[in-house]
Amino acid sequence: MLAACYPSGVSTSSPSPTAQDNFDSHLGGRGHSGATRDDIRNIAIVAHVDHGKTTLVDAMLHQTGAFGSHSNVSERAMDSMDQEQERGITILAKNTAVNYGGLVINVVDTPGHADFSGEVERGLAMVDGVALLVDAAEGPLPQTRFVLRKALERGMPIVLVVNKVDRHDARPAEVVDEVLDLLIDLGADDSALDIPTIYAIGRDGKAGPAPDQLADDLTPLFDMLIKEVPAPSYDPEAPLQALVTNLDASPYLGRIALLRIVNGEISKGQQVAWMHEANEVSDDAGHVEITRAKVVELLVTQAMTRVPGESARAGDIIAISGIENITIGDTIGDLEDPRPLPRLTVDEPAIAMEFRINDSPLAGLSGKKVTARLIKERIDRELIGNVSIRLNDLGVPDRWEIQGRGEMQLAVLIESMRREGYELTVGKPRVLTMEDENGKLMEPVELAVVDVPEEFVGAVTQLMGTRKGRMVNMGTFGAGWSRIQFHVPARGLIGFRTTFLSATQGTGQLHSTFHAWEPWMGELRLRQSGSLVADRPGPATQHAIVKLEDRGTLFVEPTDDVYEGRIVGEHIRPEDLDVNIVREKHLTNHRSATGDELVRMNRARKMSLDEALEFIREDECVEVTPDAIRLRKSILHAGSRHSARAKDKNRNANA
């Protein structure tokens, strides 16, 4: 170790002006007066979900010869995670490199869903320009606003790519105007309003200067990106500086750190200064600790793979191994002249969810990782690689509060743990609140954009009204479609998606992003139905299920194991109902002429993890195991549950 902390006392939360200026000049594409790397370009492709980012990257890879002629490459090759393929979205930001006209173009494919916007912020820290992809029919949506704001804050040049111009309802000219209006709304200066625009069909790998002037390949897009995105700039007199923007792991190399080299050069086997947050709590909290480290392996990206390299220099995006505890935001620098870069900062979490061990009677039947220690270790690993997730210690060894950007982000984490063999219990998502300077309780309000057929406008407006949503704008969108914008409390959108899809018969689309903090709007009744709760353990029987079908929708089938407190169905009335779902048919000595008639049962409703998290109330939770997702009451015993409910009523009455 070189020193206990950096001599000049550089703070990770408030970087020195020199470090910040250096960071802005090189990572923000602000035109540093030093040298440039004219042989590479670093570009991030950003867009709203389903606007075609990953499909466009696929076409770029194919047309630049990244895949061999005999390679069997699936669609959306950049979406390598199982959940990315299943959900049809990008979850993790990934980079690839393509060769075009003697240049190396490093392309960062970022998520399009607002819940994973932390990945977008990390992706922007690696590049010098942005290709903003917008659907030619849908136009800019909430995530478009978010990524544009982040790019403008960094002063990055933006290239607008209007994708899917072959859609029958495409309106490219109007979409370009809407993007310009959005730029004005975000406070962009005159130079940003003169945004270069190109039109494309990502699926077919075509691009051109106008919707009716598309080339047979993406050559116009490549040429525009090379022209409009500046080459990486650096200070030839500065020592090595490289920022860690992402983490990966290898069974052979251990932890791998993805770096953007800002200044200097780095080589395999080199001794470097690893600058990270101090581990010890002291009066100098926030100082940077410097440790000697060795670059055991250096990897460069070629197409979809990382290959060993000997050296890299300013402007390159590389990966290194050999530093066991390196994390996102750390700086790799020169041993003789270590200069830390400001740490990455992301927006604060908006949603919290309680994780705890699985304490149901069916715990441990399918999962191998069920103890509090193993679950906590897995959460800690997630915190290292995901800067947009926070852990709030509740002071109890078997439960924790995890904070993130949205329900889907936390659902992806839970699903990953489930597939890895973990068992756990998770509570209902809740929004995080704050107090203003006058002590007034404030809550986050979302800008929700709804696209629905015109016949469902009334139903959607009524649904939003029950959740205290305010309509702020409404207009036509395509033939027979309406686009409505609401300001609605973030907690009003929890559990709303399933209800919304039912009200619009599966045709509506809902997207949202953070709008503002506003005073607390009072209690919301988010679910109008109660739960059917098992009052005893045992296997569910056909006889009992048939008798209960008039009471609501059942979630279990005959022979499914249930326990006291497990939610076995949705009640048709607002209150909960304890039911005996294990009751058997008693045999008698009397014969019946209709005794052998076929009994028809309704199909049990099987919920996905996302649907289960939307369904539950505050006093309910979801039991997650590798082979089952079960809904249950937080307090299993009926007597204890009723006592707790009575205490809450008395407490509220006294308040």
Side-chain angles (χ1 to χ4, degrees):
M1 184 172 294
L2 298 182
C5 63
Y6 191 61
S8 61
V10 177
S11 169
T12 57
S13 56
S14 300
S16 66
T18 301
Q20 184 66 59
D21 293 342
N22 186 54
F23 183 77
D24 289 344
S25 297
H26 299 301
L27 289 184
R30 288 169 171 79
H32 191 269
S33 59
T36 59
R37 284 282 308 276
D38 295 325
D39 59 333
I40 65 172
R41 296 291 188 275
N42 296 319
I43 300 163
I45 297 185
V46 296
H48 193 86
V49 65
D50 280 341
H51 281 198
K53 298 180 308 302
T54 307
T55 302
L56 182 64
V57 174
D58 280 357
M60 297 172 73
L61 289 167
H62 281 284
Q63 293 187 17
T64 55
F67 301 126
S69 58
H70 299 289
S71 299
N72 183 16
V73 182
S74 61
E75 292 185 1
R76 304 197 324 273
M78 293 291 286
D79 287 346
S80 54
M81 287 178 58
D82 290 342
Q83 291 195 66
E84 289 179 322
Q85 292 286 345
E86 294 166 9
R87 294 174 181 265
I89 61 173
T90 301
I91 295 174
L92 300 177
K94 308 174 192 68
N95 70 297
T96 184
V98 299
N99 292 286
Y100 175 79
L103 279 77
V104 175
I105 303 178
N106 291 309
V107 181
V108 180
D109 182 21
T110 62
H113 197 284
D115 284 14
F116 309 104
S117 51
E119 296 288 326
V120 177
E121 294 171 78
R122 281 193 286 178
L124 294 180
M126 301 165 61
V127 300
D128 305 295
V130 167
L132 176 67
L133 210 67
V134 180
D135 189 294
E138 296 183 1
L141 287 170
Q143 181 69 356
T144 314
R145 171 182 290 270
F146 172 83
V147 295
L148 259 181
R149 177 168 57 86
K150 291 297 180 182
L152 291 172
E153 287 175 357
R154 290 178 175 270
M156 287 185 170
I158 300 168
V159 174
L160 174 60
V161 183
V162 182
N163 194 28
K164 303 183 183 182
V165 294
D166 59 331
R167 287 184 54 164
H168 71 280
D169 55 349
R171 46 189 189 94
E174 296 176 37
V175 165
V176 172
D177 290 340
E178 290 174 2
V179 173
L180 293 176
D181 291 341
L182 179 57
L183 285 167
I184 295 172
D185 189 37
L186 293 174
D189 56 25
D190 293 340
S191 60
L193 293 177
D194 188 19
I195 184 170
T197 304
I198 197 158
Y199 302 86
I201 305 175
R203 181 194 58 206
D204 298 338
K206 297 180 179 181
D212 56 353
Q213 299 178 21
L214 301 184
D216 293 331
D217 55 22
L218 295 175
T219 297
L221 173 61
F222 283 122
D223 291 342
M224 179 170 285
L225 291 176
I226 292 171
K227 176 185 176 182
E228 300 295 339
V229 176
S233 59
Y234 63 97
D235 183 355
E237 304 298 326
L240 171 65
Q241 287 179 296
L243 182 70
V244 180
T245 59
N246 211 343
L247 298 177
D248 202 350
S250 165
Y252 307 104
L253 301 176
R255 182 176 296 187
I256 296 174
L258 189 67
L259 310 174
R260 162 70 190 264
I261 304 177
V262 177
N263 288 311
E265 298 184 4
I266 190 171
S267 58
K268 179 181 177 180
Q270 180 179 342
Q271 297 286 334
V272 296
W274 166 36
M275 288 162 271
H276 54 98
E277 288 185 319
N279 295 324
E280 298 179 0
V281 179
S282 67
D283 293 337
D284 296 327
H287 282 199
V288 174
E289 190 171 298
I290 304 176
T291 306
R292 179 189 294 270
K294 180 181 179 181
V295 179
V296 175
E297 190 65 76
L298 187 150
L299 304 170
V300 296
T301 302
Q302 291 183 2
M304 298 287 296
T305 59
R306 296 191 184 112
V307 297
E310 292 300 322
S311 63
R313 56 196 180 103
D316 287 330
I317 298 175
I318 63 168
I320 64 170
S321 67
I323 306 177
E324 182 179 356
N325 296 316
I326 195 169
T327 189
I328 293 171
D330 292 351
T331 300
I332 297 298
D334 185 84
L335 273 174
E336 303 299 327
D337 187 9
R339 301 182 186 179
L341 293 166
R343 297 190 69 85
L344 286 174
T345 58
V346 298
D347 291 343
E348 291 299 312
I351 294 288
M353 190 183 297
E354 185 179 285
F355 285 38
R356 66 173 190 259
I357 62 170
N358 183 14
D359 57 358
S360 86
L362 301 180
L365 295 182
S366 60
K368 303 300 181 183
K369 303 172 183 177
V370 299
T371 64
R373 177 182 63 83
L374 292 174
I375 295 174
K376 178 62 164 56
E377 289 176 354
R378 176 61 178 84
I379 293 173
D380 289 339
R381 290 201 304 272
E382 187 69 23
L383 294 173
I384 293 173
N386 195 334
V387 294
S388 59
I389 282 184
R390 304 280 191 275
L391 170 65
N392 181 25
D393 193 347
L394 299 177
V396 183
D398 60 354
R399 62 181 62 192
W400 314 267
E401 183 181 78
I402 308 300
Q403 301 174 354
R405 290 290 183 85
E407 295 171 80
M408 182 177 288
Q409 182 191 27
L410 297 180
V412 166
L413 169 59
I414 297 167
E415 181 65 25
S416 297
M417 295 177 65
R418 174 184 175 230
R419 297 184 183 194
E420 294 166 12
Y422 289 87
E423 284 194 12
L424 66 157
T425 303
V426 295
K428 181 178 179 61
R430 66 173 184 85
V431 298
L432 297 173
T433 58
M434 61 175 288
E435 291 185 355
D436 63 7
E437 59 274 8
N438 299 320
K440 194 172 185 178
L441 185 63
M442 309 289 285
E443 66 173 320
V445 173
E446 299 273 310
L447 170 64
V449 178
V450 177
D451 293 339
V452 293
E454 291 177 350
E455 61 265 30
F456 299 122
V457 169
V460 171
T461 303
Q462 184 176 0
L463 282 176
M464 281 291 188
T466 62
R467 294 166 181 256
K468 301 188 183 297
R470 308 187 306 271
M471 183 189 298
V472 294
N473 193 15
M474 179 176 174
T476 58
F477 164 63
W481 283 72
S482 295
R483 172 166 291 175
I484 319 171
Q485 296 183 7
F486 296 92
H487 287 165
V488 58
R491 57 196 170 102
L493 294 178
I494 296 176
F496 178 70
R497 197 168 301 274
T498 301
T499 305
F500 169 73
L501 290 175
S502 298
T504 60
Q505 298 180 10
T507 60
Q509 296 185 30
L510 170 67
H511 306 284
S512 64
T513 188
F514 174 77
H515 169 65
W517 290 93
E518 294 188 9
W520 182 262
M521 299 185 187
E523 184 180 357
L524 295 179
R525 181 73 172 181
L526 301 181
R527 197 181 99 199
Q528 303 302 319
S529 59
S531 300
L532 299 176
V533 186
D535 64 358
R536 67 198 71 191
T541 64
Q542 175 181 296
H543 176 68
I545 290 175
V546 171
K547 297 292 185 183
L548 290 172
E549 284 185 337
D550 291 340
R551 299 282 188 160
T553 303
L554 277 299
F555 301 155
V556 297
E557 296 176 339
T559 72
D560 285 353
D561 287 327
V562 302
Y563 49 81
E564 182 182 6
R566 179 177 175 181
I567 299 173
V568 296
E570 181 179 8
H571 195 197
I572 58 175
R573 296 188 178 183
E575 66 274 3
D576 294 339
L577 180 66
D578 294 330
V579 298
N580 178 6
I581 201 168
V582 303
R583 182 174 58 179
E584 296 181 354
K585 183 177 182 180
H586 296 292
L587 300 178
T588 69
N589 291 328
H590 297 281
R591 291 179 178 268
S592 172
T594 60
D596 295 330
E597 284 187 357
L598 181 66
V599 176
R600 296 186 180 275
M601 294 190 307
N602 296 326
R603 186 183 297 273
R605 178 184 174 188
K606 297 295 183 182
M607 288 192 182
S608 65
L609 176 60
D610 299 68
E611 291 170 337
L613 293 175
E614 288 186 2
F615 179 83
I616 57 176
R617 286 177 170 170
E618 286 75 8
D619 64 337
E620 299 168 349
C621 52
V622 181
E623 177 188 354
V624 181
T625 72
D627 64 354
I629 294 174
R630 306 183 185 97
L631 281 65
R632 49 163 284 189
K633 288 292 184 179
S634 299
I635 303 175
L636 295 178
H637 187 263
S640 302
R641 194 162 60 243
H642 297 325
S643 298
R645 191 179 299 123
K647 290 180 180 178
D648 288 340
K649 287 183 179 179
N650 292 334
R651 189 182 302 112
N652 294 335
N654 294 332

